[in-house]
Every structure is written in C-alpha cells, then in structure tokens.
Amino acid sequence: QMSNSSSITQFLLLAFADTQELQLLHFWLFLGIYLAALLANGLIITAIACDHRLHTPMYFFLLNLSLLDLGTISTTVPKAMANSLWDTRAISYVGCAAQVFLFLFLLSAEYFLLTVMAYDRYVAICKPLRYGTLLGSRACAHMAAAAWGTGFLYAVLHTSNTFSLPLCRGNAVDQFFCEIPQILKLACSGAYLREVGVLVVSVSFVFGCFVFIVLSYGQIFRAVLRIPSEQGQHKAFSTCLPHLTVVSLFVSTGMFAYLKPPSISSPSLDLLVAVLYSVVPPALNPLIYSMRNHEIKDAL
C-alpha cells in the first residue's frame, strides 16, 4: 500500500552504537570535535574582524569560510550529540527538512566561496599589479554575496524537490543527520527521476567550479615557476597551499560521498564518509589556514 509522505511526522536517524557506553563515547568525541571547531573558527573570525592588517580580500573570504564552517558543523553535530545523550533516534519531519536545507545551503556556499578564493589567489599571483582594482572591497562583497546567494538558491531547489517526493519505504534514515541520498532511498520507486534532472544541474555546477579551480591553479603554478628567486617561489606557494589543501579535502570527500557506487555502500562506510566530509573539514580548515600563516598568528 502507498503511504503518503505527509503521514510521516518524524524520521529515525542512524544510532551510532547499541550500548549506552559507546553512545556516550560518541557524544564526548563529537563534543570535543565540535568545541574545537567552534573555538578555532571563532578565533579566526575574531582575529580577522579585529585586526586592521587583515582587512584584505584573502582574509575577508577566509572570514566567510569560517562562518560557513561554523554553520555546517552546527547543523549536524549538536543534534547527533543530543540523540546520543538522550538515547533516541528521532528527528521531526520539519527538523529533518531544515537540516537538509541548511546543510546544503552552507556546504554549496562554501564550495562557491572556495572557487572565488581560487580566483583571489590567481589574481594575487598572476596579476599582482591589478589586484587592488580587480578585488576592491565592493567586488569582494559582491563575490561573497554571490556565493551565499547561489548556495541558498541551490538548497531551496534540492530541498523542495526532495521533500515533495512521495516516500513509501519507511522513515529510517541511514545516517547521523538528514542527507539527501539517504532520503531518496525512502522514496517510492520511479519517483526519483525528477531528482535526476536536478542532479544533472548540480553535477554541471560542481564540475564547472572544479574546472575553474583547476585552471586557476594551472596558471598559478606556471607563474610561480617563472619567479626567479626560490624565496619568492616559496612565499607564493605558501599562500596557495592552504587553499589547495582545503579544496582537495572538500572535493574528494564530497565526491566520494555522493558518487560512490551503491555496491560498496554499507552503513559503516557511509557513516565514516559523512563524518569525513561534514565534520572533519570545519574543524580542520582553521588549522590548515593558520598553521603556516604568520599574519594570523600575530593577530591571535
């Protein structure tokens, strides 16, 4: 019999463990990661906002990145921690939709922002004399707004599409937060064809940004290798390395999560991959950016 999705009032998230002790262990582990991410991103935001020397395009985008990271990790982790602590798996229908929307919004905005940051590094290294004109404060504000805005539209498109599908396969989501691939598994057969159209749009978007980042870095590396002094090369590389590391981490985990064949799908692998792309980057990004960055260290 066909059960309409409107009759589903709540979803059941994946429980991390079957025993209370292991669930508490997950709670403390997540709490540690969450607090570390809050502290690290909070410090970067404060340092950039308060130190006038850091009021440059690169740090303005980094401030936006930290805000998005804070949002991303706050969308998934606190709910998972609460469920572990109270020994429950439930999330309301509205809560699930909100989680899908916010997570997609922040994650896609972050991806668009990373694309803008590649452009920033490209101009800084390949067109240094025009840096001030190409990346003035108004241009930077427009680019950041475009990243947030595109992420928002993208999330509206996906969320409304996913939650308008009829669901006939129960309400158990095989993940510690509401994630589109897992909700599509609950959809009635044949209903996901419309999602395929949206997916094609997404993949072309993601691929377009990816190609742009790769081409930017191709130009950057060519320019850097033409710098005569080794010290100059080193300095140029060190401003690009953090961004490249963050992009690689973000793209590789995200692509694996969404494009891996169903045959190698298992709840534990899905869980591991989800933690890798939703929890690890927000906690690691501030470290990657501030590790070899003297200006941020001084500001802190």
Side-chain angles (χ1 to χ4, degrees):
Q1 63 125 39
M2 287 271 294
S3 73
N4 189 3
S5 55
S6 59
S7 62
I8 293 180
T9 55
Q10 62 171 14
F11 291 92
L12 297 176
L13 297 172
L14 185 69
F16 272 117
D18 25 24
T19 67
Q20 188 72 48
E21 292 79 31
L22 276 175
Q23 282 203 330
L24 281 177
L25 179 69
H26 278 119
F27 169 78
W28 289 113
L29 194 67
F30 261 30
L31 182 66
I33 295 173
Y34 186 55
L35 290 177
L38 286 185
L39 180 69
N41 285 296
L43 279 174
I44 283 199
I45 290 168
T46 312
I48 294 172
C50 297
D51 191 327
H52 289 292
R53 289 168 304 176
L54 299 185
H55 292 182
T56 64
M58 181 170 122
Y59 292 110
F60 169 71
F61 294 133
L62 185 53
L63 176 111
N64 278 273
L65 186 72
S66 283
L67 286 171
L68 288 165
D69 278 335
L70 278 182
T72 309
I73 200 165
S74 299
T75 303
T76 55
V77 171
K79 178 62 182 164
M81 286 176 0
N83 280 7
S84 290
L85 197 58
W86 308 129
D87 197 19
T88 171
R89 292 173 54 199
I91 182 169
S92 70
Y93 186 85
V94 174
C96 188
Q99 216 174 32
V100 165
F101 172 75
L102 285 170
F103 187 67
L104 260 183
F105 164 41
L106 297 159
L107 209 67
S108 48
E110 178 158 334
Y111 184 57
F112 295 128
L113 186 74
L114 287 171
T115 310
V116 170
M117 290 169 88
Y119 175 71
D120 165 68
R121 293 297 81 214
Y122 163 74
V123 176
I125 286 168
C126 302
K127 298 187 162 57
L129 298 177
R130 297 184 58 203
Y131 189 72
T133 48
L134 287 173
L135 284 150
S137 52
R138 180 177 277 177
C140 290
H142 286 168
M143 286 177 197
W148 287 82
T150 317
F152 183 81
L153 292 173
Y154 191 74
V156 168
L157 178 74
H158 268 296
T159 311
S160 55
N161 197 38
T162 304
F163 282 90
S164 61
L165 295 175
L167 307 176
C168 335
R169 302 199 172 131
N171 66 340
V173 179
D174 277 336
Q175 194 50 274
F176 73 93
F177 62 96
C178 284
E179 186 190 38
I180 286 185
Q182 305 299 338
I183 291 168
L184 290 181
K185 285 181 185 175
L186 308 176
C188 309
S189 53
Y192 57 84
L193 280 174
R194 196 177 52 199
E195 179 63 19
V196 172
V198 178
L199 208 63
V200 170
V201 174
S202 319
V203 170
S204 49
F205 243 144
V206 169
F207 189 67
C209 289
F210 185 65
V211 168
F212 181 83
I213 293 171
V214 170
L215 290 176
S216 300
Y217 271 98
Q219 298 284 356
I220 287 170
F221 288 142
R222 273 178 54 196
V224 170
L225 294 174
R226 284 202 298 264
I227 296 174
S229 75
E230 218 170 282
Q231 196 183 2
Q233 284 188 357
H234 181 75
K235 187 170 185 243
F237 269 126
S238 66
T239 66
C240 296
L241 206 60
H243 179 256
L244 204 52
T245 313
V246 168
V247 170
S248 312
L249 182 73
F250 187 84
V251 172
S252 54
T253 53
M255 271 168 68
F256 188 67
Y258 286 92
L259 300 177
K260 66 177 186 302
S263 54
I264 60 162
S265 191
S266 73
S268 50
L269 181 69
D270 288 354
L271 185 69
L272 180 70
V273 171
V275 169
L276 271 180
Y277 88 93
S278 66
V279 179
V280 173
L284 271 189
N285 287 354
L287 284 177
I288 294 172
Y289 264 102
S290 54
M291 199 114 69
R292 296 174 57 194
N293 190 314
H294 298 299
E295 290 171 320
I296 287 191
K297 282 181 183 167
D298 292 347
L300 289 173

